Every structure is written in C-alpha cells, then in structure tokens.
Amino acid sequence: MKKPAPSAPQVPPEAGLTHHPETLANRRRLPVAVELNYRECLLFLNRSDMECTHSLNDDAVRKAFCTDGRGWLSEIRPAAQGGLTLTLLNGDAPADWAARLAAYVRDWWDLDRDLQPFYLQVQHDRLLAPLVARYRGLRLLGYPQLFEALSWAVIGQQINLSFAYQLRRRLVHRYGGKVTFEGHSYWVFPDAATIAGARRQDLLAMQFSRQKTDYLIAIAAEIADGRLSRESLQAMEPSAARERLLQLRGVGPWTADYVMMKCLRNPSAFPVGDVGLQNAVRQLLRLPGKPTEEELRELARPWSGWEAYATFYLWRTLI
DNA sequence: ATCCAGGCTCCTG
DNA sequence: CAGGAGCATGGA
C-alpha cells in the first residue's frame, strides 16, 4: 500500500512507435567470442507457447523494453559473419541504444563466459558427457532483472509449469508494459515499483495464492525502495548473497539458488531440490524413483564449480 | 479419485 | 529438530 496502484500499462500502446525502415542507424552486429549454439538457445526460449516477454519470428528473437518512458522493440538474429545482429525495430534510436541492448543480450545469454573449462571438466562424466556433446554452445538463458528472476521463481514454486506460465502471463498483461508494432503486442515484465503498489485482491483474483501474493508484493517493495538490488547482492560473497535472499519471506533454498543461477550468474549455484532436475537425472539413469538430495550431491561432485550449467543442461533434456 | 507439479512457511510433538 | 498441513490449480 505504499504507492497507488497503477491501473494502466507503463507505456501507452501508441507511444513513440513509428516504424521506419531498417538502416545502419538501428542495426548493429554483436561480436560473440564464445561458443554459441543459436539453435539450441532458440529451442530453450521456445519451450513454452505461453511465454509472453519474448517471441520468436522465424530464426529471430524479439524482445521489448520500457526505458526512458518509452517502449522499444528489439530483434536478435544470427549474423552471417558470426555473432549476432541486433536491430531496434521501432522508434528513433538514442545514441547509446546499441551499447545498452548489447549489454542486456550479453547478460541474458551469458555471452561473456567461456564454457571450455566446463566442457573439459565433464567430458567423461556419465551424466553430462552426452549432454554437452549434444547441446554444446547452449548458453544459460537468464533473467538480468532481479525482480523478474525472483518473481518467476516464487510463481513457479510447487505448481506445475503450465499453471506457473498462466500466472506469469496474467501478471504481465495486467501490470507490465506493452509495445505495439505492426499490429502485434510485445510485453515487458512489470518493474518492482509497480507490483509494490499492486492490490492484494487483484493478484488473488488472478489465482495467485495468498502466500505468493504477499511474498511478491513484499519482495517488490524491498526492491523498489532500494533495500534489495542485484548490484548489492553481486557485491557480496556468494554465500552472503544467498543468506540475504533467504531472509526474504517466500524464498527458500530452491528459490535462492535459482536466482543465484539465473540472475546473479553464480556458476556454482545448485538448486538441488528442483523437481525438474531430479526427474531429468531419474530419466537419464533410469532410476526407479527420484534421486535423494544426497545422491544428487554425490553425482554432482564432478561438476564442482559448474553446477548451474550442469543443471541447465539437465533441464534441457526435459524439453 | 488421488497424486504431483521448477517449494515454502508455520505449526506441532 | 523432524514431520506434516496448507496453499491454488490443472494435468496425468
């Protein structure tokens, strides 16, 4: 109740959305020095047809942003000469748009990390060796925004992924930003300040549980007023950042590790209680039941330092 | 119908 | 400190 509940999207649909032809001014190549399997990344981004904060257009990924009071629509595609091509599809490009978008994409796709040490380390691991051979170049697709990462983790707790996507979409469509381009709507995940001002009853009406409603609004408030930020967490030792996350109501070990993995980019983060991870291991090893936490930790010993990537590659087998 | 989903908090013995 | 109820809904 700290802020009035905004009842309109953050960006009016008609704001600043003049289409103009693609020119060098709104297209830039992003060199990629690491191994990148674009097709595999696309497959992961396409894992749910209920995803609403990015979309696929043939081999291109489209993602909208709301900054400086305006809505932007960007497109990512593989470049003929290697790397990626970033295009700003709408609006007049500010001078620094390319640098800002490139920074976001490098973060989102984890493009500054050399995976050779990981591949080398697990090349004889009975679980991971076949996976890194098959999916080599798959990047850990993350959530650069702390609030988005935390929200998605909290939403996904306990319920099946399909219902989680429904809840997320309702949240985005009610509180997020919308960018309209060539007759299509592109959505932006709401920022923390907006959800901090959301009304409890509105989230309940969207079928969020009472607990998740309270968790989300409280977490949003902490982020909105600066008590919690990605920057402050990244300035800490990983163990201290994890402890800080665990102080949040609604954040247990799984959520803390998930956020460490997908937002803070700690390669050692290991959401060992994850049911998807357990099911992936059960299938690959043809176990009669889900492995216990102890068994998982034993299996994960050879992945030391790369548990986050190992988990991500194991999740990939579930697609 | 019953159990389980990308868990967590809170209450009980 | 271990164990269990409750949460919201949907799919198997």
Side-chain angles (χ1 to χ4, degrees):
Chain A
M1 316 296 166
K2 300 186 166 64
K3 297 182 175 138
S7 55
Q10 294 164 318
V11 173
E14 65 278 11
L17 303 182
T18 329
H19 174 38
H20 45 115
E22 200 175 302
T23 64
L24 282 181
N26 57 8
R27 193 175 63 224
R28 217 57 70 85
R29 197 174 82 89
L30 172 62
V32 174
V34 297
E35 221 171 322
L36 167 63
N37 186 331
Y38 187 82
R39 184 179 46 80
E40 274 297 329
C41 292
L42 218 59
L43 203 56
F44 185 83
L45 290 175
N46 201 27
R47 72 194 184 283
S48 168
D49 53 12
M50 296 197 281
E51 176 60 59
C52 62
T53 52
H54 62 257
S55 60
L56 302 189
N57 192 5
D58 292 329
D59 63 338
V61 182
R62 289 185 172 184
K63 187 166 183 65
F65 299 91
C66 291
T67 57
D68 310 325
R70 293 180 58 179
W72 309 96
L73 181 63
S74 65
E75 188 173 78
I76 306 168
R77 60 171 67 251
Q81 63 276 51
L84 299 171
T85 299
L86 308 181
T87 308
L88 187 66
L89 293 176
N90 72 326
D92 296 315
D96 62 343
W97 76 269
R100 290 166 69 179
L101 180 57
Y104 184 91
V105 172
R106 281 161 53 169
D107 196 342
W108 182 19
W109 291 40
D110 202 26
L111 294 179
D112 291 323
R113 188 182 313 278
D114 179 12
L115 296 182
Q116 298 308 319
F118 169 55
Y119 295 147
L120 210 61
Q121 182 172 329
V122 303
Q123 64 181 336
H124 300 304
D125 186 81
R126 69 166 169 159
L127 260 172
L128 287 183
L131 304 190
V132 298
R134 204 176 313 158
Y135 310 136
R136 194 176 184 92
L138 169 63
R139 319 295 310 177
L140 202 169
L141 283 307
Y143 296 101
Q145 301 287 335
L146 176 63
F147 179 61
E148 183 174 358
L150 269 166
S151 302
W152 180 226
V154 168
I155 288 171
Q157 289 169 8
Q158 172 58 20
I159 58 178
N160 62 67
L161 212 44
S162 147
F163 182 45
Y165 271 110
Q166 286 185 51
L167 292 177
R168 192 177 104 105
R169 181 152 68 174
R170 289 173 193 156
L171 195 75
V172 170
H173 285 186
R174 171 67 179 79
Y175 297 102
K178 181 166 78 166
V179 175
T180 305
F181 179 73
E182 291 180 346
H184 289 91
S185 293
Y186 299 88
W187 293 91
V188 182
F189 197 84
D191 58 33
T194 304
I195 301 303
R199 291 194 315 198
R200 224 178 97 87
Q201 64 189 57
D202 290 347
L203 267 63
L204 294 175
M206 291 181 221
Q207 298 178 308
F208 283 75
S209 66
R210 292 190 296 277
Q211 293 94 320
K212 286 186 183 178
T213 299
D214 294 340
Y215 300 157
L216 283 180
I217 293 176
I219 288 170
E222 285 216 32
I223 293 177
D225 62 28
R227 280 174 288 160
L228 179 69
S229 69
R230 184 192 194 193
E231 292 68 33
S232 64
L233 291 171
Q234 279 186 322
M236 303 176 188
E237 291 299 316
S239 60
R242 189 172 187 277
E243 289 306 310
R244 174 71 183 88
L245 288 167
L246 287 173
Q247 289 172 5
L248 300 167
R249 293 187 63 255
V251 175
W254 177 84
T255 303
D257 289 325
Y258 182 89
V259 170
M260 300 282 293
M261 167 181 171
K262 299 273 280 187
C263 180
L264 303 184
R265 296 298 191 177
N266 179 349
S268 303
F270 189 32
V272 68
D274 183 86
V275 67
L277 175 67
Q278 295 166 0
N279 283 330
V281 171
R282 179 176 60 78
Q283 286 180 26
L284 291 170
L285 297 181
R286 305 183 196 287
L287 303 176
K290 289 186 292 187
T292 66
E293 176 175 338
E294 281 193 356
E295 290 168 331
L296 264 181
R297 290 197 186 281
E298 181 65 29
L299 287 167
R301 204 179 310 211
W303 319 337
S304 176
W306 291 98
E307 290 89 340
Y309 258 91
T311 298
F312 196 71
Y313 274 54
L314 284 161
W315 283 346
R316 167 63 183 82
T317 67
L318 299 172
I319 291 181

